[in-house]
């Protein structure tokens, strides 16, 4: 097996420090990382119901919003923002995933975890019966309901969107969602969907999941003091107590003995992931008629 690639996981506090330091953001953008996880402290792979309380005394950021700012400050880098399967409704999440994909030109995706440790116990919007695989499937289907190729902007015919290419989602479980999404799929294609698993349970087998991250996964989570594993596809460097500058130092040492990933590529292309297939579903709109221009 070839040397693994290197990715880095940042907590909300680390992201805040990185955003506040222009020189450090430029340095980060120069690292040949596969991707950066934004808000790694907001996912938990344990398949429990109650869960532990959020980190005492710590603050964090809304991951998808922080990712759009980081993608602007580090325009050659790639990012996964985090979301919880039990807290985020798939329609809202799919809109954020697609919007980030447009803003970053395909350099972003989403990392799904079971729980968000910062959400308090008893939160009324938490749904314990919803799995990571359920949300991954819903997000993938919704993002693909409006193909980017349907946006033709044809001045001669007056047709902006070939609306007969837009499909309903027609999802039933665990959420009933007709769709379609109100944001077209990014020009780079469907966004990368990753899941975080702590090793408590086996990862699902749905084809909607492109990547699995965790302490025992193909993309192995390690600390800054751990040995570099050689039997994995990639590693996710994580050390919540280090400053972003110290994490950059640690990443540079790992990158010297691992596989660098070229900048500027989309996240899917950088990881060599195949394009997700598109299912044919019920057509949402009729075929548009050209304008009758004399």
């Amino acid at each position: 097996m070839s040397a693994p690639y290197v990715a880095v996981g940042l907590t909300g506090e680390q992201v805040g420090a990185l955003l506040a330091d222009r020189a450090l953001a430029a340095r980060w953008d120069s690292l040949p990382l596969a991707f950066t996880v934004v808000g790694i402290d907001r996912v938990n792979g344990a398949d429990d119901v109650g869960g532990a309380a959020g980190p005492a005394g710590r603050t964090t950021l809304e991951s998808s919003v922080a990712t759009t700012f980081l993608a602007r400050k580090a325009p050659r880098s790639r990012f996964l923002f985090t979301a919880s399967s039990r807290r985020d409704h798939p329609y809202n999440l799919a809109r954020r995933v697609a919007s980030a994909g447009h803003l970053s030109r395909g350099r972003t995706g989403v990392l799904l975890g079971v729980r968000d440790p910062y959400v308090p116990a008893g939160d009324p919007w938490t749904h314990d019966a919803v799995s990571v695989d359920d949300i991954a499937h819903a997000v993938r289907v919704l993002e693909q309901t409006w193909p980017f190729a349907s946006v033709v902007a044809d001045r001669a015919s007056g047709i902006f969107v070939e609306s007969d290419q837009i499909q309903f989602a027609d999802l039933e479980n665990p959420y009933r969602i007709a769709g379609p999404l109100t944001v077209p799929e990014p020009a780079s294609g469907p966004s990368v969907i990753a899941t975080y698993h702590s090793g408590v349970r086996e990862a699902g087998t749905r084809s909607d999941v492109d990547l699995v991250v965790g302490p025992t996964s193909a993309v192995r989570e390690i600390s800054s003091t751990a040995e570099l594993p050689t039997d994995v596809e990639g590693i996710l460097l994580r050390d919540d107590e280090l400053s972003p500058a110290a994490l950059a130092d640690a990443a540079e040492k790992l990158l010297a003995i691992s596989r660098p990933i070229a900048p500027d590529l989309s996240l899917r292309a950088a990881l060599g992931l195949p394009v997700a297939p598109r299912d044919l579903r019920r057509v949402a709109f009729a075929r548009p008629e050209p304008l009758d221009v004399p």
Side-chain angles (χ1 to χ4, degrees):
M1 179 178 287
S2 62
Y5 60 71
V6 178
V8 179
L10 298 176
T11 66
E13 291 180 341
Q14 290 167 334
V15 171
L18 184 58
L19 285 170
D21 190 329
R22 187 186 299 269
L24 182 57
R27 179 189 175 195
W28 200 271
D29 200 34
S30 71
L31 298 174
L33 298 170
F35 56 85
T36 299
V37 176
V38 180
I40 190 67
D41 53 329
R42 300 204 66 166
V43 291
N44 187 301
D47 196 15
D48 62 334
V49 175
R58 287 189 179 273
T59 58
T60 193
L61 298 172
E62 203 292 311
S63 181
S64 62
V65 174
T67 295
T68 60
F69 281 97
L70 267 179
R72 179 68 180 268
K73 286 182 174 287
R76 307 180 74 193
S77 300
R78 294 163 288 266
F79 304 92
L80 288 172
F81 71 81
T82 55
S84 165
S85 66
R86 293 179 177 173
R87 185 64 171 79
D88 291 279
H89 190 285
Y91 193 92
N92 297 333
L93 181 56
R95 280 176 52 89
R96 284 153 50 200
V97 169
S99 296
H102 283 287
L103 291 169
S104 68
R105 298 184 179 182
R107 293 182 292 117
T108 57
V110 63
L111 175 64
L112 300 171
V114 177
R115 283 190 306 107
D116 181 344
Y118 286 88
V119 175
D123 177 73
W125 297 102
T126 298
H127 303 279
D128 292 332
V130 180
S131 73
V132 166
D133 295 327
D134 290 332
I135 298 299
H137 178 64
V139 169
R140 175 56 46 76
V141 169
L142 282 163
E143 193 181 30
Q144 291 187 315
T145 54
W146 185 351
F148 181 80
S150 69
V151 183
V152 294
D154 185 354
R155 291 177 179 269
S157 66
I159 295 174
F160 182 67
V161 175
E162 293 181 340
S163 50
D164 57 320
Q165 294 188 39
I166 301 174
Q167 304 179 120
F168 285 109
D170 287 335
L171 296 168
E172 292 292 336
N173 291 307
Y175 294 95
R176 191 174 185 184
I177 307 171
L181 203 64
T182 55
V183 179
E185 183 181 63
S188 55
S191 301
V192 171
I193 299 177
T195 59
Y196 182 90
H197 291 290
S198 64
V200 174
R201 71 181 181 96
E202 291 293 322
T205 57
R206 278 191 189 271
S207 61
D208 307 290
V209 175
D210 297 297
L211 196 68
V212 180
V213 179
T216 61
S217 301
V219 180
R220 183 81 48 81
E221 180 184 283
I222 66 170
S223 72
S224 59
T225 58
E227 294 283 336
L228 178 70
T230 58
D231 59 341
V232 294
E233 177 67 19
I235 61 169
L236 178 73
L237 173 63
R238 176 183 181 179
D239 199 319
D240 297 0
E241 304 307 318
L242 292 183
S243 68
L247 267 177
D249 292 339
E252 285 180 334
K253 292 178 181 178
L254 289 174
L255 286 164
I257 54 174
S258 61
R259 174 162 48 104
I261 302 295
D264 298 321
L265 297 173
S266 72
L267 181 57
R268 185 171 293 279
L271 300 180
L273 298 172
V275 176
R278 185 186 305 277
D279 294 334
L280 293 179
R281 295 176 178 269
R282 187 165 57 102
V283 174
F285 304 105
R287 184 174 181 80
E289 295 292 332
L291 293 176
D292 186 12
V293 180

